[in-house]
Amino acid sequence: MRDIGHYKNNYKNFFHILLNKDWLYGCVACLFYLALLLPTLIYKNFDFSIFIVAGDKFADSHNLVAPIHIQSNSTGFDGQFYYRIALAPFDFQTTSYGLTIDDPPLRFHRILYPLLVWIFAFGQKNYVSFMMFFVNLCGIFSIFYSFSRLVKYFNLNKIVLLYVLLWPGFLISLTHDTTEIISSALILLSLEAYVKNRVIPP
């Protein structure tokens, strides 16, 4: 019985630390999503381009500057357009590098995410598909870090920190290289700055 009580105390201590350390909560969130996606990445030999979800209606495999996974007879998904922008964010042509952007004004309006990818990749096109995933993972950290701080600020029940981990939208955006994660991270940072009356959250 002592062993059972000991384990219970250990779990309580772990969750107490988790819910009170903002940076740790952000790290655990990143590890949680990595664990969910690890089987897929292993199966695909860590080919991060599967998350671009490129379709052959917009992607021409013969003119690509770096190999990516392309679905046959498919229009693909939004990530392929942000991948194209991340390859060259200051090239505003509709078709470049074997990829065609469906709606340039709309896609370039959301340039921050692909621009960050381009910066993190140091302009190296072979690294872009991985960096699209990595930048969104950094966004996941920022979201949960900021959310943890806001929960404390508003004195909410800390159990909501665990519930938010199960929100499916983060996983969908992470596996489709879309912009929602970075947008959400910026919104939470802005909200935190606003409620604390600061230009930059402390």
Side-chain angles (χ1 to χ4, degrees), residues 30-78:
C30 289
L31 291 174
F32 174 74
Y33 286 105
L34 275 175
L36 290 178
L37 296 175
L38 189 59
T40 300
L41 287 170
I42 292 174
Y43 179 72
K44 294 295 184 179
N45 295 314
F46 289 91
D47 179 6
F48 287 88
S49 73
I50 61 170
F51 298 142
I52 296 172
V53 194
D56 59 1
K57 302 298 182 182
F58 292 100
D60 180 1
S61 60
H62 300 293
N63 292 309
L64 296 174
V65 293
I68 63 172
H69 180 76
I70 299 177
Q71 298 178 354
S72 301
N73 300 314
S74 172
T75 56
F77 203 71
D78 294 2

Side-chain angles (χ1 to χ4, degrees), residues 66-145:
I68 63 172
H69 180 76
I70 299 177
Q71 298 178 354
S72 301
N73 300 314
S74 172
T75 56
F77 203 71
D78 294 2
Q80 64 190 326
F81 309 123
Y82 302 121
Y83 171 74
R84 152 61 191 88
I85 296 172
L87 290 173
F90 305 108
D91 179 350
F92 301 106
Q93 297 183 71
T94 301
T95 300
S96 292
Y97 306 103
L99 292 146
T100 299
I101 301 176
D102 62 341
D103 188 349
L106 173 65
R107 304 303 178 184
F108 277 98
H109 180 69
R110 301 172 180 176
I111 197 173
L112 180 60
Y113 168 53
L115 182 62
L116 288 173
V117 171
W118 178 75
I119 293 170
F120 273 76
F122 296 102
Q124 300 298 307
K125 295 175 174 53
N126 287 330
Y127 301 152
V128 169
S129 60
F130 167 72
M131 284 301 171
M132 293 189 77
F133 179 83
F134 177 76
V135 168
N136 264 343
L137 199 62
C138 291
I140 289 286
F141 174 86
S142 178
I143 286 169
F144 287 92
Y145 176 81

